[in-house]
Amino acid sequence: MNIDGWCYRWLLLLTTGLSASVAGYSPDLLPIVTTPFPPYQMEIKGQAAGISTEIVQAIMAEADINYRIRFYPWNRAYLLAQQPTPTLIYNLSRTKARETQFQWVGAITPNIVYLWRRADRKDIQLKHLADAARYRIGVVKNDVKRSYLLEQQIPDSQLPMVSRDEQNVQKLMRGRIDLMPYDEGALTYHLNELGYQREEASKAFWLKDLSGELYLAASLSTPPALVERLQLGWKRVREKGIYHQILARYHLVATPRTLKKN
């Protein structure tokens, strides 16, 4: 289907007042792509779940739009969200480079990123980010953290790539990489899933420039009227307190405030 056809369908969708749904498929379901990033987004028994997923579902309900959520490796999800079809993507870091590549619906999840090391690697002491250049830092292809480290003059040769974050958690704990940039909540989840304790990993350096909030965004081919409706849904979720209620259930706050070194 060409872009005009998609736009026509979504303009029709905006006038039908359909209820939100994850399951099923039809051409009138707005595609939402993401990647496993527990506890923020994940699949449980074939159903989309997690903190960010609940917020996205609330936005779609307030906007009264049918949708489907599908999980892919991050690189594929990112590329799908740049194809000439209406598509949403979460969780996405909002950077200068990406600003004009997407239409931004709203911030949905706080995100505090550190470089992590194994707790027993006390030889790794970073006073400045440049100190990390001598270590192997595991990253994910097409992820903003890799781009940022390259911008900060970390050699590409020191940034081995994988397709999923949990692979780097495993590599970190097995000593195959020295550091990895990651959110604390997500790291804790993966450590538990892999049979490790949170205390077996330590914060080596706070990546302040990467910390903040992650977003729900739309592809450039998504009709502006649909994006406006989504933005209104996002605003209602905030104003009704739904956003903070979801975060509170997971013991999170809307923006990072207090940062601990370890």
Side-chain angles (χ1 to χ4, degrees):
M1 183 179 295
N2 61 29
I3 295 175
D4 290 339
W6 273 97
C7 290
Y8 177 71
R9 284 184 175 273
W10 289 118
L11 288 173
L12 286 177
L13 175 62
L14 291 176
T15 64
T16 58
L18 299 172
S19 60
S21 169
V22 174
Y25 171 80
S26 84
D28 291 330
L29 292 177
L30 178 61
I32 305 177
V33 298
T34 189
T35 196
F37 182 43
Y40 301 102
Q41 63 254 21
M42 52 193 166
E43 283 188 285
I44 299 178
K45 296 182 179 179
Q47 298 296 314
I51 306 165
S52 301
T53 298
E54 289 187 29
I55 295 170
V56 169
Q57 290 169 335
I59 292 169
M60 303 305 288
E62 290 294 327
D64 199 19
I65 297 171
N66 266 356
Y67 64 95
R68 59 176 168 81
I69 297 176
R70 288 188 175 177
F71 288 80
Y72 301 95
W74 177 248
N75 184 54
R76 186 178 177 192
Y78 188 78
L79 293 176
L80 285 171
Q82 295 180 308
Q83 298 302 306
T85 53
T87 305
L88 303 185
I89 184 171
Y90 74 103
N91 276 318
L92 191 65
S93 295
R94 189 171 184 172
T95 65
K96 290 181 179 179
R98 290 175 174 173
E99 187 64 32
T100 60
Q101 296 177 356
F102 297 92
Q103 301 179 80
W104 301 91
V105 176
I108 58 175
T109 308
N111 185 48
I112 306 176
V113 182
Y114 295 90
L115 280 177
W116 294 86
R117 61 172 174 84
R118 263 182 17 188
D120 60 358
R121 288 293 309 273
K122 299 186 185 301
D123 58 300
I124 301 177
Q125 299 294 326
L126 308 179
K127 292 185 178 180
H128 306 283
L129 182 54
D131 297 335
R134 68 175 72 104
Y135 299 106
R136 296 165 298 165
I137 306 173
V139 294
V140 173
K141 186 176 182 180
N142 258 340
D143 183 69
V144 67
K145 295 183 286 294
R146 177 179 180 272
S147 300
Y148 175 76
L149 292 172
L150 288 171
E151 291 171 0
Q152 301 302 310
Q153 308 304 312
I154 304 298
D156 190 30
S157 60
Q158 293 293 81
L159 300 174
M161 289 187 293
V162 295
S163 60
R164 301 189 306 276
D165 286 302
E166 57 266 34
Q167 293 173 300
N168 274 330
V169 177
Q170 186 76 275
K171 290 175 67 176
L172 181 73
M173 301 312 294
R174 291 180 175 178
R176 294 172 57 194
I177 56 175
D178 305 306
L179 297 163
M180 70 170 290
Y182 211 27
D183 171 83
E184 182 169 9
L187 180 82
T188 300
Y189 179 92
H190 284 306
L191 286 173
N192 291 335
E193 287 289 299
L194 293 169
Y196 297 102
Q197 300 296 315
R198 162 62 183 81
E199 294 74 20
E200 293 183 70
S202 293
K203 299 168 185 174
F205 193 82
W206 176 36
L207 296 173
K208 182 178 179 180
D209 292 341
L210 292 177
S211 298
E213 292 180 299
L214 300 175
Y215 283 73
L216 173 65
S219 62
L220 293 179
S221 56
T222 305
L226 178 56
V227 176
E228 290 176 8
R229 186 165 179 172
L230 289 163
Q231 290 169 338
L232 180 59
W234 174 83
K235 183 178 180 181
R236 288 173 177 168
V237 166
R238 291 269 185 159
E239 291 176 345
K240 291 182 178 181
I242 299 170
Y243 175 75
H244 294 283
Q245 291 169 10
I246 293 172
L247 292 185
R249 287 206 305 272
Y250 293 92
H251 308 290
L252 293 176
V253 294
T255 54
R257 290 184 173 86
T258 303
L259 297 173
K260 297 180 181 180
K261 187 171 183 180
N262 293 299

